[in-house]
Amino acid sequence: MSVAVLFVLFLGLAFLGVPIGFAIGIGVLGSVFTSDIISLSYFVRAMANSVDSFTLTAVPFFVLAGQIMSEAGISEGLFKAANVWVGRLKGGIMMVTVLACMAFGAISGSAYATIAAIGLIALPELRKQGLSQGAAAALIATAGCCGQMIPPSMGLVVFGSLNNVSISKLFTAEILPGLFIGCCFLVYCHIYGKKHNICSGNDPIPLRRKLRTMWEAKFSLIMPVIILGGIYSGIFTPTEAAVVSVVYGLIYGLLKKNSGLEARMLPQMFYKTVITTCTILFILGVSSGFGKILTLEEIPTKLAALILGSVSSKIVALIILNALVLFLGTFLDGIAINVILSSILLGIATQYGIDPIHFGVMFIFNSTLGIITPPVGGNLFVAAQISKAPFEEIVKEIWPWILTMGIGLIFVIFIPQMSTWLPGLMK
């Protein structure tokens, strides 16, 4: 009865457009008041305990870092540096957008921050080269996924903290799959550019100009090196890396001449960071009650028995697990899926001999595909807000990108060595 009330309220409110955190919370409260599975005081304590984690302190710092770097012009430097090398190719400006998102993702750890930072710069250039509003927005929404698929990733921070999996190893495991899917995006950009004749010109750019542009963008280009190099060398933890991102961005933005960042802007940035962080932590908190009810009712055990009892093939199990995550990702926030499902599905995956590191990368990539998949797709709404393109127009243009990312994801799922090889070298 408690599980029925939980899911009826949760799914009903979610489909009605109620914010996901409130939908989960109301569903849990419905179970609390209609059964004795858990008490209200226990639910409140569970909410507090679920967010009482040193690892999760990385979340507000990554959110703040994304805002600071966008205003400080770091994202603009990354865009210009990529443009001088590939901007003249067919589909070059599209490739520049993807490369800039990959570089910015290696700093911010957030898909939404990456869309906001790079999208505002790339959109006018994409429109200038002949892309429609919808096509440009679809590209930005997809390229923004690199914020979750290129380390560091907030999704992996949450996954690692919930499931006691090494976050440093998860970040390392994400490198090759993230670069591979990024390359899939680049290939499709070139194909699209040739088909629609998207090119900014054929005049070659002198090497001296390329090097001068790289030198001018040196402080933007060196930041991903500092962040990732510090994590993998053991100089600082992933959580501390988020703090380093904020400090670096502040120093760069406040001391650099003609930077868009000013001291008077900081209070507003702090306010936005608090709002975003509270939203994420609230979802984490109420989702802990959701997960506790499922655990007490032995839903994970029953689900595992159902899958294990009817499926003996590891490949079929992988398909089922990924299909479930992708389906839920089309209408649930990635953080909510992470909290509600990751522990349950990881327990099932390990019984099939699936490496937890591989599963973590696969899980995050799959839920990331969900955020560009209609009907809900969070990235689509962010891109629509930035580009002012009608949502329906973006949906029409997003399907080739979904197919491209889906093909890349198939390789990540069925070639586990892409995720496990580099972490294996850390032993």
Side-chain angles (χ1 to χ4, degrees), residues 76-286:
E76 184 177 359
L78 296 172
F79 190 87
K80 288 180 177 179
N83 190 43
V84 294
W85 292 97
V86 300
R88 299 285 170 173
L89 302 175
K90 291 289 185 180
I93 193 64
M94 301 170 69
M95 299 168 73
V96 169
T97 302
V98 172
L99 290 171
C101 284
M102 292 173 69
F104 194 85
I107 305 170
S108 70
S110 166
Y112 297 156
T114 303
I115 292 175
I118 303 299
L120 291 172
I121 300 168
L123 187 64
E125 298 299 324
L126 293 169
R127 297 285 287 128
K128 190 185 299 181
Q129 296 303 320
L131 272 77
S132 67
Q133 264 189 318
L139 166 61
I140 292 168
T142 306
C145 291
C146 295
Q148 283 285 12
M149 298 189 300
I150 300 291
S153 161
M154 278 200 288
L156 286 181
V157 170
V158 174
F159 180 91
S161 64
L162 290 172
N163 298 292
N164 197 28
V165 180
S166 169
I167 295 176
S168 294
K169 286 190 175 181
L170 285 170
F171 282 178
T172 306
E174 198 179 36
I175 294 175
L176 292 181
L179 292 176
F180 176 75
I181 293 185
C183 289
C184 291
F185 290 161
L186 294 175
V187 170
Y188 179 70
C189 286
H190 187 58
I191 294 172
Y192 186 96
K194 291 184 71 174
K195 181 178 179 181
H196 297 276
N197 195 30
I198 306 297
C199 185
S200 58
N202 298 316
D203 296 333
I205 298 177
L207 178 61
R208 180 177 296 181
R209 180 183 164 190
K210 292 180 179 179
L211 296 177
R212 185 171 67 249
T213 302
M214 297 288 286
W215 176 254
E216 291 172 352
K218 57 184 178 296
F219 292 113
S220 298
L221 295 171
I222 201 174
M223 191 171 184
V225 178
I226 293 174
I227 301 303
L228 297 179
I231 293 173
Y232 300 137
S233 65
I235 297 175
F236 41 73
T237 67
T239 302
E240 292 165 344
V243 181
V244 172
S245 298
V246 172
V247 174
Y248 185 99
L250 284 174
I251 293 174
Y252 174 87
L254 295 176
L255 297 184
K256 181 179 180 292
K257 292 182 179 180
N258 301 320
S259 168
L261 182 65
E262 300 177 9
R264 61 182 176 83
M265 301 167 65
L266 294 179
Q268 183 65 18
M269 288 184 176
F270 294 152
Y271 174 76
K272 289 181 179 179
T273 299
V274 169
I275 296 299
T276 303
T277 303
C278 287
T279 301
I280 294 173
L281 296 185
F282 179 73
I283 292 174
L284 287 173
V286 295

